[in-house]
Amino acid sequence: MMRTRPLKVALLGCGVVGSEVARIMTTHADDLAARIGAPVELAGVAVRRPSKVREGIDPALVTTDATALVKRGDIDVVIEVIGGIEPARTLITTAFEHGASVVSANKALLAEDGAALHAAAESQGRDLYYEAAVAGAIPLVRPLRESLAGDKVNRVLGIVNGTTNFILDKMDTSGAGYSEALDEATALGYAEADPTADVEGFDAAAKAAILAGIAFHTRVKIGEVHREGITEVTAADIASARRMGCTVKLLAICERAADGKSVTARVHPAMIPLSHPLASVREAYNAVFVEAEAAGQLMFYGPGAGGSPTASAVLGDLVAVCRNKLSETTGPGESAYTRLPVSPMGEVVTRYHISLDVADKPGVLAQVATVFAEQGVSIDTVRQQSRHDGDGEASLVVVTHRAPDAALSATVEALRKLDTVRGVASIMRVEGE
């Protein structure tokens, strides 16, 4: 039997995502009520610019006082889509204190202070849901947190930023340089006016921290995630990858150590074989590859950003939280019982693709091989090619076997000191074997 008294929802933020959440709440009100077991009512919308016309939203609901809105006491659920650390953090904890559960899309805040937010929610008996914080419309948080709760996840490997995937895809398919591909992404609305958070890997690193925490039942902060962006990826890197039967992707990689005693989380560009499922992820799409002991290999794919996809994830959480409200219970909270340490990048075992500009004369390859041997790094393949342009230089490409990242970095530094090495043209990790 459906309850007639509506559950009241406060919306913090009414930009691209917030406005779409409000629209769907209005146009799909009957369906949402049937799925929840009670109507949901948009009771207030906190914004920074109240004078802006917001189609489909009653101006009487609009306020600039977000604090007063979450303190009302009659609000059942607060949807936070304003982003950033403050005032979002204070507003969320205030909502808990005044009786509301929270649905958030705030990856930066959750990656930085998720443990404190979960503790605040638990202390007040409230829900904290955040499916939209990781991969837009792709159901990922809930499968990891609930569907795989009885399994052991060992690895999460994914493309979790649409902007960078669009740029790298364009560089690969059209031969465009980084700047040219970024301009196209900006023109199409895939990149912000200031794309730093995307192209330097901050966005993906926040998502990696969240995913690692859920997958491995431990606490991982964004500062513990190794981060490299795509600004240094060149057309030559893309061409080298193609010659290897690979493509370049910005990957978020979360792994449990082989001995189970630590975890790692990192974001960086990497070459992956064209045969790998992630290699076929095009344009601004996201995909995450999960490896679990019992379930095996799972792949989640779909649009990872944008108003409608993100709103879909927000509303899915809203339905779940409202159902919990009606049954006077809460969903799963933080699971961090393993308390595993996060290993630094230097201890991670990786492979390198190294492109060197070297003197075109006998003995150079032997010198280079000696450096690798001295650092304890085994070479998988090597290719040397003269340039035939009369400058006395050649290109030498080395692909290593897996080794600790610190040893590989030390190898590169030692190579730079060789008189016969004119320069290191590019360095990139190789993943997804």
Side-chain angles (χ1 to χ4, degrees):
M1 183 176 178
M2 182 177 292
R3 191 180 84 165
T4 56
R5 182 168 63 84
L7 293 161
K8 294 189 176 184
V9 178
L11 179 61
L12 307 183
C14 198
V16 173
V17 176
S19 59
E20 189 66 8
V21 168
R23 183 192 70 79
I24 297 174
M25 282 185 65
T26 302
T27 58
H28 295 181
D30 291 343
D31 286 335
L32 289 172
R35 294 165 190 171
I36 291 168
V40 286
E41 172 190 320
L42 188 59
V45 182
V47 300
R48 286 184 298 177
R49 296 185 295 275
S51 59
K52 180 179 177 181
V53 176
R54 293 172 173 86
E55 187 177 348
I57 296 178
D58 183 351
L61 297 177
V62 177
T63 178
T64 57
D65 194 344
T67 301
L69 178 59
V70 300
K71 282 184 174 181
R72 274 177 37 173
D74 65 335
I75 300 296
D76 294 290
V77 183
V78 169
I79 297 176
E80 183 273 308
V81 288
I82 56 178
I85 305 300
E86 289 290 357
R89 173 168 47 201
T90 299
L91 291 170
I92 289 173
T93 55
T94 301
F96 292 146
E97 292 165 1
H98 287 79
S101 290
V102 173
V103 172
S104 176
N106 195 333
K107 53 188 168 285
L109 177 57
L110 287 159
E112 177 61 33
D113 215 16
L117 293 178
H118 276 292
E122 184 178 359
S123 69
Q124 299 294 332
R126 313 300 174 204
D127 271 325
L128 174 62
Y129 276 52
Y130 45 90
E131 185 68 67
V134 175
I138 304 172
L140 186 59
V141 171
R142 202 168 302 160
L144 283 173
R145 192 162 68 167
E146 299 178 34
S147 302
L148 295 173
D151 206 340
K152 181 180 181 182
V153 176
N154 290 318
R155 195 169 193 237
V156 179
L157 173 73
I159 298 165
V160 295
N161 183 272
T163 300
T164 52
N165 199 58
F166 179 89
I167 292 170
L168 293 172
D169 183 50
K170 287 302 172 184
M171 292 176 70
D172 186 31
T173 57
S174 70
Y178 167 78
S179 296
E180 188 180 353
L182 174 59
D183 288 344
E184 184 175 354
T186 304
L188 291 172
Y190 292 131
E192 302 285 346
D194 179 2
T196 303
D198 293 320
V199 299
E200 293 293 356
F202 290 100
D203 174 85
K207 294 171 181 177
I210 295 170
L211 289 174
I214 299 170
F216 307 134
H217 303 278
T218 195
R219 289 175 179 168
V220 179
K221 284 193 170 186
I222 189 170
E224 297 174 302
V225 180
H226 175 82
R227 175 192 55 79
E228 298 172 30
I230 66 166
T231 55
E232 301 301 319
V233 177
T234 66
D237 293 327
I238 302 292
S240 292
R242 194 178 298 116
R243 284 192 292 270
M244 288 179 59
C246 294
T247 189
V248 177
K249 299 292 186 182
L250 182 72
L251 298 179
I253 305 170
C254 311
E255 294 177 303
R256 188 191 302 267
D259 61 7
K261 296 181 179 179
S262 65
V263 299
T264 60
R266 51 195 165 107
V267 168
H268 54 71
M271 296 180 179
I272 59 173
L274 294 175
S275 58
H276 194 282
L278 292 178
S280 61
V281 179
R282 302 288 306 281
E283 302 262 321
Y285 277 76
N286 284 191
V288 177
F289 202 72
V290 177
E291 298 176 10
E293 282 196 358
Q297 297 179 332
L298 308 170
M299 184 165 165
F300 301 83
Y301 170 83
S308 293
T310 306
S312 171
V314 168
L315 287 161
D317 279 351
L318 175 64
V319 169
V321 170
C322 286
R323 286 172 175 169
N324 292 343
K325 277 279 184 178
L326 291 179
S327 61
E328 298 182 343
T329 187
T330 55
E334 182 190 33
S335 175
Y337 71 91
T338 62
R339 296 182 177 87
L340 296 173
V342 182
S343 297
M345 186 63 193
E347 296 178 11
V348 177
V349 177
T350 63
R351 295 179 68 201
Y352 269 27
H353 172 283
I354 306 169
S355 181
L356 305 171
D357 295 327
V358 300
D360 188 9
K361 62 181 184 180
V364 173
L365 182 57
Q367 286 185 324
V368 169
T370 298
V371 169
F372 278 88
E374 289 173 347
Q375 299 298 331
V377 176
S378 177
I379 294 175
D380 182 16
T381 62
V382 61
R383 184 180 71 251
Q384 184 171 346
Q385 183 176 356
S386 298
R387 293 182 179 173
H388 306 298
D389 55 6
D391 64 357
E393 291 189 4
S395 295
L396 184 64
V397 176
V398 179
V399 179
T400 73
H401 283 294
R402 293 172 65 83
D405 202 79
L408 290 163
S409 296
T411 301
V412 172
E413 291 307 306
L415 289 170
R416 294 183 194 275
K417 297 176 182 178
L418 291 178
D419 292 338
T420 51
V421 174
R422 307 294 191 234
V424 179
S426 70
I427 308 166
M428 190 168 295
R429 295 178 182 88
V430 182
E431 297 287 344
E433 306 114 296

